[in-house]
Amino acid sequence: MFKHTLMSCAFAAAIALVHAGGASAATELRFGHAQPPGDTVHKAAEHFKQQVEKGSNGEIVVNVFPAGQLGSNKAMVEGIRLGTLDITANGNPFWTGFNPVQNVLDLPYLFESYEHAYRVLDGDVGRNILKGLESKGVKGIAFWEIGFRNVTNNVRPIEKPEDLKGIKVRTTPNKAHVKAFQLLGANPVTMSFTDVYMALQTGTVDAQENPVGLIYSNRFNEVQKHLSLTRHAYTPYVFAMNLAKFNALSPEHQKLVLDAGISAAERQRQANRDLEEGQLAELKKSGMQVIEDVDPAPFRKIVYEPVKADYVAEHGSELVDRIIALGTGS
């Protein structure tokens, strides 16, 4: 009987090991981003998760962590390079520190419209930029969207460049953004997006600049009085994965991840277009003063050529010229 008990225990242990092996067979991917669950980037992340898990029959599990749960923008981008994080969607300015050629995408007043931006990002220019990330240990999958940036502040309405004089404005760490606001007479302060609400609330900074969608989803209207639709620069999210993790997937799963990332980009961009009008109405309803008819010409006259010249001096004019040529005004 003792022998039979030992055999039963051994059999049970073997079964447990088989089940344990089966449970661990799924590839788990950790996906971190900085936006709250109500934002379009999180909804796109959930779409990506559903597409990948369904398409892989559960062989890949995607765990999404919104709202900076896995760290600041900079920490998440560094995590992708190091392999401590598998996937992120993070603003282009946070990638340019180690891939400075990408600064071209943040040059103020370079993109004429959303359609112009999409022709660039989804064409050869965008694909080559994403390909260039592979030498940094990153698999660039697609460009999601932050959008055209606008200024909010607590000092005064911004209708002309002089209105920015002396205002302390949070910007991304992108040097094109920093120089543009310096040229406009503001005092730019760089910080992670996850710290912006508190900085505005405490008066550490007076202002920030982001698209309407992020202003709305992050409730900046609670801590900002004025919104001016300056649309001074367009910013994409870089949707990317750790290259070693991507290469470890089967060819079928690699294609699945790529297709799902592109599908999510299309949905997220369209959602931004569909929601903006209603979000502006809600911001106005909450008491925020919104100036919609800001003339871009005086702002562009001050910042466009000097900031572009800095980029060209460092990286040459080829990328800038190719982007301009894809616009309707070329």
Side-chain angles (χ1 to χ4, degrees):
M1 183 169 178
F2 179 68
K3 182 178 180 181
H4 175 73
T5 302
L6 284 176
M7 289 178 65
S8 298
C9 290
F11 180 75
I15 293 295
L17 284 171
V18 168
H19 283 296
S24 63
T27 298
E28 292 196 18
L29 300 177
R30 296 167 76 240
F31 179 171
H33 66 82
Q35 298 309 322
D39 191 76
T40 60
V41 75
H42 184 68
K43 292 176 181 178
E46 290 292 330
H47 172 76
F48 173 80
K49 168 185 170 72
Q50 292 163 8
Q51 293 293 105
V52 169
E53 291 182 349
K54 181 179 178 181
S56 69
N57 295 314
E59 292 178 18
I60 301 177
V61 175
V62 181
N63 298 312
V64 181
F65 299 88
Q69 292 179 40
L70 300 184
S72 66
N73 306 88
K74 182 179 178 181
M76 285 187 281
V77 168
E78 191 63 22
I80 293 295
R81 295 185 68 196
L82 296 174
T84 55
L85 181 61
D86 301 314
I87 302 173
T88 193
N90 240 294
N92 188 70
F94 293 96
W95 303 87
T96 56
F98 61 86
N99 197 37
V101 71
Q102 283 183 230
N103 272 304
V104 71
L105 300 179
D106 290 302
L107 295 181
Y109 297 105
L110 183 62
F111 291 106
E112 300 172 1
S113 63
Y114 286 108
E115 292 72 27
H116 182 197
Y118 302 158
R119 284 194 294 274
V120 171
L121 298 174
D122 299 339
D124 290 341
V125 172
R127 283 192 291 269
N128 289 337
I129 287 173
L130 292 178
K131 182 72 175 175
L133 288 169
E134 294 187 16
S135 64
K136 319 295 182 182
V138 175
K139 177 64 180 179
I141 296 172
F143 287 104
W144 292 12
E145 180 172 85
I146 293 180
F148 280 98
R149 310 179 78 88
N150 307 287
V151 177
T152 70
N153 82 100
N154 274 329
V155 180
R156 53 183 167 266
I158 305 301
E159 299 181 80
K160 53 191 184 300
E162 305 90 86
D163 295 331
L164 280 164
K165 188 174 182 180
I167 289 180
K168 192 180 293 185
V169 55
R170 177 269 176 182
T171 71
T172 73
N174 182 281
K175 58 186 178 181
H177 290 178
V178 172
K179 179 162 184 176
F181 279 96
Q182 288 173 337
L183 289 168
L184 291 166
N187 298 320
V189 177
T190 65
M191 69 175 67
S192 176
F193 186 84
T194 51
D195 298 327
V196 175
Y197 186 98
M198 183 64 70
L200 295 169
Q201 188 176 49
T202 59
T204 303
V205 292
D206 307 309
Q208 66 84 47
E209 40 94 44
N210 265 297
V212 169
L214 293 192
I215 293 166
Y216 177 82
S217 65
N218 288 275
R219 308 189 315 278
F220 288 158
N221 56 298
E222 296 176 355
V223 289
Q224 295 277 266
K225 298 175 183 176
H226 308 287
L227 163 60
S228 298
L229 300 186
T230 52
R231 303 192 187 279
H232 51 272
Y234 177 88
T235 305
Y237 282 112
V238 177
F239 179 69
M241 185 172 177
N242 173 262
L243 181 61
K245 193 81 170 186
F246 179 83
N247 288 339
L249 299 176
S250 68
E252 294 78 15
H253 285 169
Q254 288 180 359
K255 184 178 186 302
L256 175 63
V257 166
L258 292 171
D259 289 347
I262 293 169
S263 171
E266 293 169 351
R267 289 170 65 97
Q268 193 249 351
R269 292 173 182 176
Q270 187 59 52
N272 286 344
R273 302 289 75 67
D274 294 342
L275 293 171
E276 183 169 305
E277 184 177 346
Q279 290 169 339
L280 274 174
E282 287 296 317
L283 291 172
K284 292 176 185 176
K285 188 177 178 181
S286 74
M288 198 173 208
Q289 181 182 356
V290 179
I291 300 174
E292 299 187 57
D293 57 346
V294 179
D295 181 4
F299 295 87
R300 190 179 193 275
K301 184 177 180 180
I302 292 170
V303 305
Y304 178 70
E305 290 296 344
V307 178
K308 184 178 73 169
D310 282 354
Y311 180 87
V312 170
E314 189 173 352
H315 302 288
S317 64
E318 180 187 359
L319 272 181
V320 175
D321 292 343
R322 290 177 69 187
I323 289 172
I324 292 171
L326 288 166
T328 58
S330 58

